[in-house]
mmCIF file of all heavy atoms in Angstrom:
data_model
loop_
_atom_site.group_PDB
_atom_site.id
_atom_site.type_symbol
_atom_site.label_atom_id
_atom_site.label_comp_id
_atom_site.label_asym_id
_atom_site.label_seq_id
_atom_site.Cartn_x
_atom_site.Cartn_y
_atom_site.Cartn_z
ATOM 1 N N TRP B 39 84.043 131.409 100.793
ATOM 2 C CA TRP B 39 84.464 131.013 102.124
ATOM 3 C C TRP B 39 85.885 130.507 102.101
ATOM 4 O O TRP B 39 86.382 129.789 101.239
ATOM 5 C CB TRP B 39 83.565 129.850 102.542
ATOM 6 C CG TRP B 39 83.695 129.417 103.896
ATOM 7 C CD1 TRP B 39 83.876 130.134 105.010
ATOM 8 C CD2 TRP B 39 83.551 128.056 104.418
ATOM 9 N NE1 TRP B 39 83.880 129.414 106.130
ATOM 10 C CE2 TRP B 39 83.718 128.155 105.779
ATOM 11 C CE3 TRP B 39 83.337 126.829 103.841
ATOM 12 C CZ2 TRP B 39 83.579 126.972 106.641
ATOM 13 C CZ3 TRP B 39 83.211 125.665 104.616
ATOM 14 C CH2 TRP B 39 83.365 125.755 105.989
ATOM 15 N N SER B 40 86.691 130.932 103.171
ATOM 16 C CA SER B 40 88.132 130.563 103.240
ATOM 17 C C SER B 40 88.331 129.425 104.131
ATOM 18 O O SER B 40 89.328 128.889 104.270
ATOM 19 C CB SER B 40 88.886 131.734 103.726
ATOM 20 O OG SER B 40 88.438 132.096 105.032
ATOM 21 N N GLY B 41 87.208 129.004 104.791
ATOM 22 C CA GLY B 41 87.313 127.768 105.553
ATOM 23 C C GLY B 41 87.097 127.942 107.068
ATOM 24 O O GLY B 41 86.219 127.262 107.588
ATOM 25 N N PHE B 42 87.811 128.813 107.664
ATOM 26 C CA PHE B 42 87.678 128.780 109.143
ATOM 27 C C PHE B 42 87.042 130.051 109.767
ATOM 28 O O PHE B 42 87.084 130.298 110.925
ATOM 29 C CB PHE B 42 89.099 128.634 109.747
ATOM 30 C CG PHE B 42 89.644 127.244 109.306
ATOM 31 C CD1 PHE B 42 90.393 127.113 108.213
ATOM 32 C CD2 PHE B 42 89.372 126.118 110.085
ATOM 33 C CE1 PHE B 42 90.875 125.840 107.807
ATOM 34 C CE2 PHE B 42 89.810 124.855 109.731
ATOM 35 C CZ PHE B 42 90.551 124.726 108.591
ATOM 36 N N THR B 43 86.412 130.831 108.886
ATOM 37 C CA THR B 43 85.552 131.941 109.409
ATOM 38 C C THR B 43 84.140 131.502 109.527
ATOM 39 O O THR B 43 83.710 130.627 108.824
ATOM 40 C CB THR B 43 85.685 133.158 108.412
ATOM 41 O OG1 THR B 43 85.313 132.672 107.109
ATOM 42 C CG2 THR B 43 87.048 133.734 108.383
ATOM 43 N N ALA B 44 83.385 132.250 110.396
ATOM 44 C CA ALA B 44 82.024 131.832 110.575
ATOM 45 C C ALA B 44 81.109 132.211 109.381
ATOM 46 O O ALA B 44 80.243 131.457 109.064
ATOM 47 C CB ALA B 44 81.473 132.500 111.858
ATOM 48 N N ASP B 45 81.467 133.435 108.815
ATOM 49 C CA ASP B 45 80.484 133.816 107.727
ATOM 50 C C ASP B 45 81.037 133.352 106.350
ATOM 51 O O ASP B 45 82.244 133.150 106.155
ATOM 52 C CB ASP B 45 80.377 135.325 107.690
ATOM 53 C CG ASP B 45 81.755 136.095 107.380
ATOM 54 O OD1 ASP B 45 82.757 135.554 107.839
ATOM 55 O OD2 ASP B 45 81.683 136.998 106.652
ATOM 56 N N LYS B 46 80.059 133.015 105.514
ATOM 57 C CA LYS B 46 80.420 132.519 104.193
ATOM 58 C C LYS B 46 79.851 133.485 103.174
ATOM 59 O O LYS B 46 78.721 133.400 102.768
ATOM 60 C CB LYS B 46 79.788 131.170 103.976
ATOM 61 C CG LYS B 46 80.260 130.141 105.034
ATOM 62 C CD LYS B 46 79.550 128.780 104.896
ATOM 63 C CE LYS B 46 80.034 127.821 105.979
ATOM 64 N NZ LYS B 46 79.060 126.837 106.428
ATOM 65 N N PRO B 47 80.682 134.461 102.771
ATOM 66 C CA PRO B 47 80.157 135.542 101.900
ATOM 67 C C PRO B 47 79.647 134.997 100.600
ATOM 68 O O PRO B 47 80.352 134.315 99.864
ATOM 69 C CB PRO B 47 81.364 136.467 101.616
ATOM 70 C CG PRO B 47 82.417 136.068 102.676
ATOM 71 C CD PRO B 47 82.054 134.670 103.049
ATOM 72 N N PHE B 48 78.380 135.277 100.257
ATOM 73 C CA PHE B 48 77.777 134.774 99.054
ATOM 74 C C PHE B 48 78.313 135.576 97.873
ATOM 75 O O PHE B 48 78.308 136.825 97.887
ATOM 76 C CB PHE B 48 76.216 134.958 99.209
ATOM 77 C CG PHE B 48 75.502 134.429 97.957
ATOM 78 C CD1 PHE B 48 75.195 133.143 97.770
ATOM 79 C CD2 PHE B 48 75.112 135.328 96.929
ATOM 80 C CE1 PHE B 48 74.523 132.646 96.732
ATOM 81 C CE2 PHE B 48 74.478 134.861 95.858
ATOM 82 C CZ PHE B 48 74.162 133.566 95.753
ATOM 83 N N VAL B 49 78.799 134.878 96.889
ATOM 84 C CA VAL B 49 79.339 135.603 95.748
ATOM 85 C C VAL B 49 78.726 135.129 94.375
ATOM 86 O O VAL B 49 79.228 135.448 93.346
ATOM 87 C CB VAL B 49 80.888 135.390 95.611
ATOM 88 C CG1 VAL B 49 81.622 136.098 96.720
ATOM 89 C CG2 VAL B 49 81.293 133.970 95.488
ATOM 90 N N GLY B 50 77.702 134.309 94.565
ATOM 91 C CA GLY B 50 77.000 133.853 93.287
ATOM 92 C C GLY B 50 77.926 132.904 92.427
ATOM 93 O O GLY B 50 78.592 132.093 93.028
ATOM 94 N N PHE B 51 78.014 133.201 91.188
ATOM 95 C CA PHE B 51 78.754 132.322 90.316
ATOM 96 C C PHE B 51 80.166 132.734 90.088
ATOM 97 O O PHE B 51 80.847 132.270 89.200
ATOM 98 C CB PHE B 51 78.058 132.057 88.951
ATOM 99 C CG PHE B 51 76.773 131.216 89.100
ATOM 100 C CD1 PHE B 51 75.560 131.863 89.344
ATOM 101 C CD2 PHE B 51 76.914 129.875 89.115
ATOM 102 C CE1 PHE B 51 74.407 131.058 89.503
ATOM 103 C CE2 PHE B 51 75.746 129.066 89.265
ATOM 104 C CZ PHE B 51 74.521 129.672 89.412
ATOM 105 N N ASP B 52 80.669 133.703 90.993
ATOM 106 C CA ASP B 52 82.025 134.223 90.871
ATOM 107 C C ASP B 52 83.096 133.096 90.764
ATOM 108 O O ASP B 52 84.018 133.188 89.973
ATOM 109 C CB ASP B 52 82.395 135.121 92.052
ATOM 110 C CG ASP B 52 81.816 136.530 91.853
ATOM 111 O OD1 ASP B 52 81.063 136.664 90.806
ATOM 112 O OD2 ASP B 52 82.267 137.447 92.568
ATOM 113 N N ASN B 53 82.944 132.105 91.656
ATOM 114 C CA ASN B 53 83.953 131.023 91.678
ATOM 115 C C ASN B 53 84.092 130.312 90.366
ATOM 116 O O ASN B 53 85.136 129.978 89.868
ATOM 117 C CB ASN B 53 83.601 129.944 92.711
ATOM 118 C CG ASN B 53 83.860 130.507 94.103
ATOM 119 O OD1 ASN B 53 84.857 131.287 94.398
ATOM 120 N ND2 ASN B 53 83.050 130.119 95.032
ATOM 121 N N PHE B 54 82.897 130.081 89.756
ATOM 122 C CA PHE B 54 82.870 129.415 88.456
ATOM 123 C C PHE B 54 83.441 130.232 87.362
ATOM 124 O O PHE B 54 84.200 129.802 86.538
ATOM 125 C CB PHE B 54 81.426 129.021 88.091
ATOM 126 C CG PHE B 54 80.916 127.991 89.003
ATOM 127 C CD1 PHE B 54 80.161 128.403 90.181
ATOM 128 C CD2 PHE B 54 81.117 126.621 88.877
ATOM 129 C CE1 PHE B 54 79.649 127.447 91.040
ATOM 130 C CE2 PHE B 54 80.586 125.687 89.672
ATOM 131 C CZ PHE B 54 79.895 126.028 90.827
ATOM 132 N N GLN B 55 83.213 131.585 87.380
ATOM 133 C CA GLN B 55 83.781 132.453 86.454
ATOM 134 C C GLN B 55 85.330 132.546 86.628
ATOM 135 O O GLN B 55 86.051 132.576 85.600
ATOM 136 C CB GLN B 55 83.224 133.940 86.621
ATOM 137 C CG GLN B 55 81.971 134.110 85.766
ATOM 138 C CD GLN B 55 81.357 135.456 85.997
ATOM 139 O OE1 GLN B 55 81.694 136.185 86.976
ATOM 140 N NE2 GLN B 55 80.365 135.789 85.192
ATOM 141 N N ARG B 56 85.744 132.471 87.942
ATOM 142 C CA ARG B 56 87.179 132.517 88.174
ATOM 143 C C ARG B 56 87.845 131.222 87.627
ATOM 144 O O ARG B 56 88.905 131.260 87.060
ATOM 145 C CB ARG B 56 87.470 132.618 89.675
ATOM 146 C CG ARG B 56 88.164 133.862 90.132
ATOM 147 C CD ARG B 56 88.333 133.850 91.587
ATOM 148 N NE ARG B 56 89.437 133.057 92.073
ATOM 149 C CZ ARG B 56 89.594 132.572 93.279
ATOM 150 N NH1 ARG B 56 88.613 132.725 94.211
ATOM 151 N NH2 ARG B 56 90.661 131.894 93.598
ATOM 152 N N LEU B 57 87.154 130.135 87.813
ATOM 153 C CA LEU B 57 87.627 128.878 87.329
ATOM 154 C C LEU B 57 87.862 128.866 85.811
ATOM 155 O O LEU B 57 88.851 128.361 85.336
ATOM 156 C CB LEU B 57 86.615 127.717 87.586
ATOM 157 C CG LEU B 57 86.704 127.038 88.978
ATOM 158 C CD1 LEU B 57 85.583 125.976 89.049
ATOM 159 C CD2 LEU B 57 88.084 126.423 89.077
ATOM 160 N N LEU B 58 86.964 129.549 85.042
ATOM 161 C CA LEU B 58 87.032 129.526 83.643
ATOM 162 C C LEU B 58 88.299 130.298 83.213
ATOM 163 O O LEU B 58 88.804 130.101 82.121
ATOM 164 C CB LEU B 58 85.822 130.164 83.012
ATOM 165 C CG LEU B 58 84.462 129.404 83.206
ATOM 166 C CD1 LEU B 58 83.334 130.072 82.538
ATOM 167 C CD2 LEU B 58 84.683 127.976 82.719
ATOM 168 N N GLN B 59 88.712 131.224 84.016
ATOM 169 C CA GLN B 59 89.990 132.057 83.720
ATOM 170 C C GLN B 59 91.253 131.516 84.385
ATOM 171 O O GLN B 59 92.240 132.147 84.297
ATOM 172 C CB GLN B 59 89.726 133.475 84.125
ATOM 173 C CG GLN B 59 88.764 134.195 83.174
ATOM 174 C CD GLN B 59 87.978 135.276 83.899
ATOM 175 O OE1 GLN B 59 88.395 135.709 84.988
ATOM 176 N NE2 GLN B 59 86.898 135.738 83.290
ATOM 177 N N ASP B 60 91.086 130.349 85.053
ATOM 178 C CA ASP B 60 92.237 129.845 85.817
ATOM 179 C C ASP B 60 92.985 128.794 85.007
ATOM 180 O O ASP B 60 92.443 127.697 84.729
ATOM 181 C CB ASP B 60 91.661 129.190 87.137
ATOM 182 C CG ASP B 60 92.764 128.541 87.947
ATOM 183 O OD1 ASP B 60 93.936 128.451 87.432
ATOM 184 O OD2 ASP B 60 92.463 128.048 89.022
ATOM 185 N N PRO B 61 94.141 129.160 84.483
ATOM 186 C CA PRO B 61 94.919 128.213 83.581
ATOM 187 C C PRO B 61 95.191 126.815 84.276
ATOM 188 O O PRO B 61 95.273 125.867 83.669
ATOM 189 C CB PRO B 61 96.239 128.972 83.273
ATOM 190 C CG PRO B 61 96.281 130.067 84.235
ATOM 191 C CD PRO B 61 94.915 130.356 84.681
ATOM 192 N N GLU B 62 95.402 126.876 85.680
ATOM 193 C CA GLU B 62 95.696 125.696 86.411
ATOM 194 C C GLU B 62 94.437 124.686 86.284
ATOM 195 O O GLU B 62 94.601 123.474 86.204
ATOM 196 C CB GLU B 62 95.950 125.969 87.820
ATOM 197 C CG GLU B 62 97.323 125.884 88.252
ATOM 198 C CD GLU B 62 98.208 125.069 87.240
ATOM 199 O OE1 GLU B 62 98.077 123.874 87.185
ATOM 200 O OE2 GLU B 62 99.050 125.663 86.578
ATOM 201 N N PHE B 63 93.285 125.290 86.379
ATOM 202 C CA PHE B 63 92.028 124.518 86.261
ATOM 203 C C PHE B 63 91.970 123.826 84.862
ATOM 204 O O PHE B 63 91.718 122.705 84.720
ATOM 205 C CB PHE B 63 90.771 125.410 86.524
ATOM 206 C CG PHE B 63 89.514 124.744 86.118
ATOM 207 C CD1 PHE B 63 88.937 123.741 86.931
ATOM 208 C CD2 PHE B 63 88.882 125.095 84.934
ATOM 209 C CE1 PHE B 63 87.771 123.163 86.605
ATOM 210 C CE2 PHE B 63 87.603 124.455 84.600
ATOM 211 C CZ PHE B 63 87.140 123.452 85.417
ATOM 212 N N TRP B 64 92.251 124.587 83.842
ATOM 213 C CA TRP B 64 92.123 124.064 82.519
ATOM 214 C C TRP B 64 93.119 122.996 82.220
ATOM 215 O O TRP B 64 92.885 121.997 81.569
ATOM 216 C CB TRP B 64 92.282 125.244 81.436
ATOM 217 C CG TRP B 64 91.053 126.062 81.291
ATOM 218 C CD1 TRP B 64 90.870 127.333 81.767
ATOM 219 C CD2 TRP B 64 89.793 125.648 80.809
ATOM 220 N NE1 TRP B 64 89.668 127.765 81.553
ATOM 221 C CE2 TRP B 64 88.858 126.802 80.910
ATOM 222 C CE3 TRP B 64 89.345 124.562 80.195
ATOM 223 C CZ2 TRP B 64 87.566 126.731 80.570
ATOM 224 C CZ3 TRP B 64 87.982 124.506 79.782
ATOM 225 C CH2 TRP B 64 87.162 125.610 79.933
ATOM 226 N N ARG B 65 94.290 123.211 82.893
ATOM 227 C CA ARG B 65 95.375 122.173 82.750
ATOM 228 C C ARG B 65 94.953 120.907 83.389
ATOM 229 O O ARG B 65 95.062 119.858 82.806
ATOM 230 C CB ARG B 65 96.595 122.739 83.475
ATOM 231 C CG ARG B 65 97.799 122.150 83.011
ATOM 232 C CD ARG B 65 98.981 123.071 82.679
ATOM 233 N NE ARG B 65 100.072 122.152 82.278
ATOM 234 C CZ ARG B 65 101.191 122.093 82.954
ATOM 235 N NH1 ARG B 65 101.408 122.948 83.941
ATOM 236 N NH2 ARG B 65 102.129 121.247 82.584
ATOM 237 N N ALA B 66 94.333 120.980 84.594
ATOM 238 C CA ALA B 66 93.866 119.787 85.343
ATOM 239 C C ALA B 66 92.774 119.106 84.549
ATOM 240 O O ALA B 66 92.788 117.870 84.303
ATOM 241 C CB ALA B 66 93.402 120.170 86.733
ATOM 242 N N LEU B 67 91.864 119.954 83.984
ATOM 243 C CA LEU B 67 90.755 119.418 83.193
ATOM 244 C C LEU B 67 91.321 118.673 81.878
ATOM 245 O O LEU B 67 90.806 117.552 81.537
ATOM 246 C CB LEU B 67 89.837 120.609 82.749
ATOM 247 C CG LEU B 67 88.510 120.145 82.126
ATOM 248 C CD1 LEU B 67 87.650 119.382 83.076
ATOM 249 C CD2 LEU B 67 87.770 121.366 81.563
ATOM 250 N N ALA B 68 92.303 119.251 81.311
ATOM 251 C CA ALA B 68 92.902 118.652 80.111
ATOM 252 C C ALA B 68 93.557 117.268 80.497
ATOM 253 O O ALA B 68 93.463 116.336 79.754
ATOM 254 C CB ALA B 68 93.895 119.515 79.511
ATOM 255 N N HIS B 69 94.237 117.307 81.661
ATOM 256 C CA HIS B 69 94.791 116.008 82.074
ATOM 257 C C HIS B 69 93.723 114.916 82.339
ATOM 258 O O HIS B 69 93.831 113.838 81.874
ATOM 259 C CB HIS B 69 95.566 116.186 83.386
ATOM 260 C CG HIS B 69 96.863 116.975 83.167
ATOM 261 N ND1 HIS B 69 97.435 117.786 84.175
ATOM 262 C CD2 HIS B 69 97.552 117.259 82.067
ATOM 263 C CE1 HIS B 69 98.477 118.356 83.721
ATOM 264 N NE2 HIS B 69 98.609 118.159 82.434
ATOM 265 N N ASN B 70 92.563 115.358 82.955
ATOM 266 C CA ASN B 70 91.449 114.456 83.131
ATOM 267 C C ASN B 70 90.917 114.006 81.820
ATOM 268 O O ASN B 70 90.536 112.847 81.616
ATOM 269 C CB ASN B 70 90.354 115.133 83.967
ATOM 270 C CG ASN B 70 90.556 114.929 85.442
ATOM 271 O OD1 ASN B 70 90.757 115.954 86.176
ATOM 272 N ND2 ASN B 70 90.596 113.708 85.939
ATOM 273 N N GLY B 71 90.884 114.947 80.890
ATOM 274 C CA GLY B 71 90.375 114.600 79.542
ATOM 275 C C GLY B 71 91.251 113.571 78.830
ATOM 276 O O GLY B 71 90.764 112.553 78.281
ATOM 277 N N LEU B 72 92.534 113.629 79.012
ATOM 278 C CA LEU B 72 93.489 112.717 78.440
ATOM 279 C C LEU B 72 93.345 111.320 79.130
ATOM 280 O O LEU B 72 93.243 110.318 78.447
ATOM 281 C CB LEU B 72 94.914 113.168 78.662
ATOM 282 C CG LEU B 72 96.006 112.362 78.087
ATOM 283 C CD1 LEU B 72 96.111 112.550 76.571
ATOM 284 C CD2 LEU B 72 97.408 112.642 78.631
ATOM 285 N N LEU B 73 93.159 111.331 80.486
ATOM 286 C CA LEU B 73 92.955 110.122 81.214
ATOM 287 C C LEU B 73 91.634 109.456 80.723
ATOM 288 O O LEU B 73 91.552 108.204 80.579
ATOM 289 C CB LEU B 73 92.824 110.417 82.697
ATOM 290 C CG LEU B 73 94.093 110.820 83.452
ATOM 291 C CD1 LEU B 73 93.768 111.113 84.880
ATOM 292 C CD2 LEU B 73 95.153 109.722 83.431
ATOM 293 N N LEU B 74 90.614 110.277 80.546
ATOM 294 C CA LEU B 74 89.334 109.732 80.149
ATOM 295 C C LEU B 74 89.294 109.011 78.828
ATOM 296 O O LEU B 74 88.567 108.159 78.556
ATOM 297 C CB LEU B 74 88.373 110.992 80.008
ATOM 298 C CG LEU B 74 86.932 110.825 80.421
ATOM 299 C CD1 LEU B 74 86.859 110.366 81.805
ATOM 300 C CD2 LEU B 74 86.202 112.268 80.333
ATOM 301 N N VAL B 75 90.236 109.422 77.991
ATOM 302 C CA VAL B 75 90.380 108.733 76.650
ATOM 303 C C VAL B 75 91.389 107.611 76.644
ATOM 304 O O VAL B 75 91.139 106.487 76.285
ATOM 305 C CB VAL B 75 90.748 109.773 75.571
ATOM 306 C CG1 VAL B 75 90.912 109.065 74.220
ATOM 307 C CG2 VAL B 75 89.662 110.784 75.384
ATOM 308 N N VAL B 76 92.599 107.921 77.105
ATOM 309 C CA VAL B 76 93.657 106.980 76.996
ATOM 310 C C VAL B 76 93.534 105.685 77.951
ATOM 311 O O VAL B 76 93.690 104.611 77.494
ATOM 312 C CB VAL B 76 95.056 107.593 77.326
ATOM 313 C CG1 VAL B 76 96.198 106.636 77.310
ATOM 314 C CG2 VAL B 76 95.315 108.699 76.284
ATOM 315 N N VAL B 77 93.149 105.963 79.187
ATOM 316 C CA VAL B 77 93.028 104.855 80.149
ATOM 317 C C VAL B 77 92.037 103.828 79.737
ATOM 318 O O VAL B 77 92.376 102.633 79.607
ATOM 319 C CB VAL B 77 92.808 105.371 81.605
ATOM 320 C CG1 VAL B 77 92.549 104.212 82.539
ATOM 321 C CG2 VAL B 77 94.024 106.172 82.077
ATOM 322 N N PRO B 78 90.751 104.236 79.405
ATOM 323 C CA PRO B 78 89.851 103.258 78.918
ATOM 324 C C PRO B 78 90.267 102.568 77.594
ATOM 325 O O PRO B 78 90.133 101.309 77.437
ATOM 326 C CB PRO B 78 88.517 104.010 78.681
ATOM 327 C CG PRO B 78 88.669 105.169 79.475
ATOM 328 C CD PRO B 78 90.165 105.525 79.559
ATOM 329 N N LEU B 79 90.798 103.381 76.714
ATOM 330 C CA LEU B 79 91.238 102.834 75.383
ATOM 331 C C LEU B 79 92.233 101.698 75.533
ATOM 332 O O LEU B 79 92.094 100.535 75.053
ATOM 333 C CB LEU B 79 91.897 103.941 74.512
ATOM 334 C CG LEU B 79 92.076 103.621 73.065
ATOM 335 C CD1 LEU B 79 90.741 103.469 72.332
ATOM 336 C CD2 LEU B 79 92.889 104.665 72.396
ATOM 337 N N VAL B 80 93.268 101.971 76.368
ATOM 338 C CA VAL B 80 94.370 100.908 76.418
ATOM 339 C C VAL B 80 93.898 99.768 77.274
ATOM 340 O O VAL B 80 94.122 98.679 76.960
ATOM 341 C CB VAL B 80 95.646 101.650 77.094
ATOM 342 C CG1 VAL B 80 96.695 100.572 77.225
ATOM 343 C CG2 VAL B 80 96.148 102.718 76.153
ATOM 344 N N THR B 81 93.210 100.064 78.438
ATOM 345 C CA THR B 81 92.823 99.042 79.347
ATOM 346 C C THR B 81 91.772 98.128 78.686
ATOM 347 O O THR B 81 91.946 96.891 78.792
ATOM 348 C CB THR B 81 92.133 99.672 80.566
ATOM 349 O OG1 THR B 81 93.003 100.711 81.070
ATOM 350 C CG2 THR B 81 91.920 98.641 81.655
ATOM 351 N N ILE B 82 90.829 98.654 77.903
ATOM 352 C CA ILE B 82 89.846 97.749 77.331
ATOM 353 C C ILE B 82 90.439 97.026 76.155
ATOM 354 O O ILE B 82 90.151 95.811 75.992
ATOM 355 C CB ILE B 82 88.638 98.678 76.827
ATOM 356 C CG1 ILE B 82 87.788 99.134 78.015
ATOM 357 C CG2 ILE B 82 87.742 97.893 75.872
ATOM 358 C CD1 ILE B 82 86.753 100.074 77.728
ATOM 359 N N ALA B 83 91.371 97.594 75.428
ATOM 360 C CA ALA B 83 91.960 96.880 74.294
ATOM 361 C C ALA B 83 92.762 95.640 74.812
ATOM 362 O O ALA B 83 92.591 94.581 74.342
ATOM 363 C CB ALA B 83 92.901 97.821 73.499
ATOM 364 N N LEU B 84 93.602 95.965 75.847
ATOM 365 C CA LEU B 84 94.310 94.817 76.456
ATOM 366 C C LEU B 84 93.420 93.764 77.078
ATOM 367 O O LEU B 84 93.529 92.562 76.972
ATOM 368 C CB LEU B 84 95.243 95.349 77.525
ATOM 369 C CG LEU B 84 96.539 96.029 76.968
ATOM 370 C CD1 LEU B 84 97.331 96.681 78.128
ATOM 371 C CD2 LEU B 84 97.509 95.104 76.194
ATOM 372 N N GLY B 85 92.336 94.283 77.786
ATOM 373 C CA GLY B 85 91.368 93.421 78.468
ATOM 374 C C GLY B 85 90.757 92.471 77.513
ATOM 375 O O GLY B 85 90.567 91.309 77.660
ATOM 376 N N LEU B 86 90.235 93.092 76.409
ATOM 377 C CA LEU B 86 89.537 92.299 75.342
ATOM 378 C C LEU B 86 90.463 91.261 74.660
ATOM 379 O O LEU B 86 90.153 90.148 74.461
ATOM 380 C CB LEU B 86 88.950 93.259 74.243
ATOM 381 C CG LEU B 86 87.623 93.854 74.479
ATOM 382 C CD1 LEU B 86 87.337 94.780 73.359
ATOM 383 C CD2 LEU B 86 86.542 92.820 74.600
ATOM 384 N N PHE B 87 91.653 91.766 74.371
ATOM 385 C CA PHE B 87 92.642 90.837 73.748
ATOM 386 C C PHE B 87 92.931 89.653 74.647
ATOM 387 O O PHE B 87 92.828 88.480 74.147
ATOM 388 C CB PHE B 87 93.956 91.727 73.515
ATOM 389 C CG PHE B 87 95.104 90.934 72.939
ATOM 390 C CD1 PHE B 87 95.009 90.505 71.563
ATOM 391 C CD2 PHE B 87 96.177 90.629 73.682
ATOM 392 C CE1 PHE B 87 96.059 89.827 70.974
ATOM 393 C CE2 PHE B 87 97.232 89.934 73.098
ATOM 394 C CZ PHE B 87 97.140 89.535 71.752
#
Side-chain angles (χ1 to χ4, degrees):
Chain B
W39 191 35
S40 62
F42 297 92
T43 51
D45 66 321
K46 301 172 181 151
F48 181 83
V49 294
F51 289 94
D52 276 11
N53 287 325
F54 294 93
Q55 272 174 350
R56 244 179 81 201
L57 272 179
L58 296 181
Q59 287 150 16
D60 177 356
E62 256 342 291
F63 167 76
W64 285 108
R65 202 131 177 243
L67 188 66
H69 293 154
N70 273 118
L72 184 75
L73 291 176
L74 214 55
V75 175
V76 175
V77 173
L79 190 70
V80 180
T81 309
I82 288 175
L84 286 172
L86 275 177
F87 178 70

